[in-house]
Amino acid sequence: MNKLIVLLLVCGLSTGAFAKDFAQYKQERLITKLLKQQVNQQISLKNSISSILTIYPEQVDVVLKVALDEYPSKYKDIMLGAMEAEPVLACEVIEIVLNANVANASEVVSIAVQAEPAYAQEIVNVAALNSPADIENIVRVAILTEPVVSQAVVTNTANSFPDQVLSVLLGAIKAVPEKVSTFVKHTIALFPTDSEAIVTHAVNSSDKKHASKIVDSAIQAGLNEQDAINAAIAGGAKAERFAQNK
């Protein structure tokens, strides 16, 4: 009797899984048909994606899967169409595109931030989770694409990935080198125990003309003056520069 119950349960689970897979298959077939019909009618891929998602917003994963399978090289049009239909789906869209491996994280971030700058922080976080080794470049590209969100991106990303704070800082410095002292001040405020490493890294990654401003910002953020100077010298700044300022 117990064996029969187990067998019936297994059969029930198998039937349920099959039904779910079949429903998914039917949904993909429908979306594929709709998409091809629109494209064949000379409707742009971007507009086709947007119109389908306006009707089926809950099917974003299926719509993007079908579109990326059929037109992998046109990922930009697919992304823009999806975000045009539902801007709030920006993070879900880039996650799907990144998992499809049709473009690198930086390119995906650039497209997404340009389309939806209001979601820049969230977009960077999703991309960094997907490609943590590329976090420096992801931050750099996001800030270059939308400089107005630079400090928000640095703060949010550093808080989300504290072990990579120096990479986040470097990406920001490469994007907007003239704001290095501001980035240093805010980053030290977030991670005071890493103050000296932040100063050393910032000086080493910047034009040495910024060294004094970096030190001043670090002091304003709470770092001892001599420690700030020593950290800057460790990063390549000339000791004479600070002697002249005393």
Side-chain angles (χ1 to χ4, degrees):
M1 184 65 177
N2 287 338
K3 289 183 178 179
L4 178 60
I5 293 172
V6 171
L7 180 61
L8 288 172
L9 285 171
V10 170
C11 289
L13 289 171
S14 298
T15 303
F18 175 79
K20 184 177 179 181
D21 289 344
F22 185 66
Q24 179 84 356
Y25 171 74
K26 285 180 65 178
Q27 193 66 46
E28 288 184 13
R29 286 287 300 273
L30 171 63
I31 298 298
T32 301
K33 184 178 180 180
L34 283 173
L35 185 59
K36 286 187 172 180
Q37 280 179 346
Q38 295 209 38
V39 172
N40 289 339
Q41 291 170 6
Q42 305 303 310
I43 299 173
S44 72
L45 182 58
K46 173 176 171 288
N47 289 340
S48 296
I49 296 293
S50 183
S51 64
I52 292 172
L53 279 175
T54 299
I55 301 169
Y56 301 106
E58 74 286 355
Q59 295 292 337
V60 61
D61 55 336
V62 176
V63 174
L64 264 64
K65 179 183 182 301
V66 167
L68 291 166
D69 284 346
E70 294 290 330
Y71 311 99
S73 65
K74 296 187 177 181
Y75 57 87
K76 181 175 182 179
D77 289 337
I78 294 168
M79 289 178 63
L80 293 176
M83 288 187 286
E84 183 178 278
E86 293 287 337
V88 73
L89 295 176
C91 293
E92 191 171 353
V93 168
I94 70 163
E95 186 172 7
I96 293 168
V97 173
L98 288 171
N99 287 335
N101 292 316
V102 293
N104 64 52
S106 298
E107 174 67 11
V108 172
V109 166
S110 178
I111 295 167
V113 171
Q114 188 169 17
E116 294 296 337
Y119 292 96
Q121 297 173 55
E122 294 83 355
I123 289 167
V124 168
N125 273 2
V126 171
L129 280 169
N130 183 277
S131 306
D134 200 29
I135 194 167
E136 176 192 314
N137 210 32
I138 289 169
V139 169
R140 181 185 66 81
V141 168
I143 293 174
L144 280 175
T145 304
E146 189 56 59
V148 73
V149 301
S150 60
Q151 189 56 61
V153 165
V154 172
T155 299
N156 183 269
T157 312
N159 276 325
S160 299
F161 303 90
D163 292 342
Q164 299 206 57
V165 61
L166 296 182
S167 294
V168 172
L169 179 62
L170 182 55
I173 292 170
K174 286 184 175 180
V176 195
E178 64 273 15
K179 289 186 67 175
V180 59
S181 58
T182 300
F183 292 142
V184 165
K185 182 177 179 179
H186 286 283
T187 305
I188 288 177
L190 291 173
F191 301 97
T193 58
D194 296 324
S195 297
E196 292 172 60
I198 290 168
V199 171
T200 298
H201 196 65
V203 171
N204 187 53
S205 305
S206 308
D207 189 308
K208 296 304 178 284
K209 68 182 181 182
H210 295 302
S212 295
K213 288 184 177 180
I214 290 171
V215 167
D216 289 343
S217 292
I219 294 169
Q220 291 171 20
L223 183 60
N224 173 273
E225 180 180 1
Q226 192 57 55
D227 289 340
I229 292 172
N230 291 341
I233 292 170
K238 299 292 185 182
E240 295 79 10
R241 175 186 296 273
F242 304 105
Q244 292 169 0
N245 291 338
K246 289 184 177 180

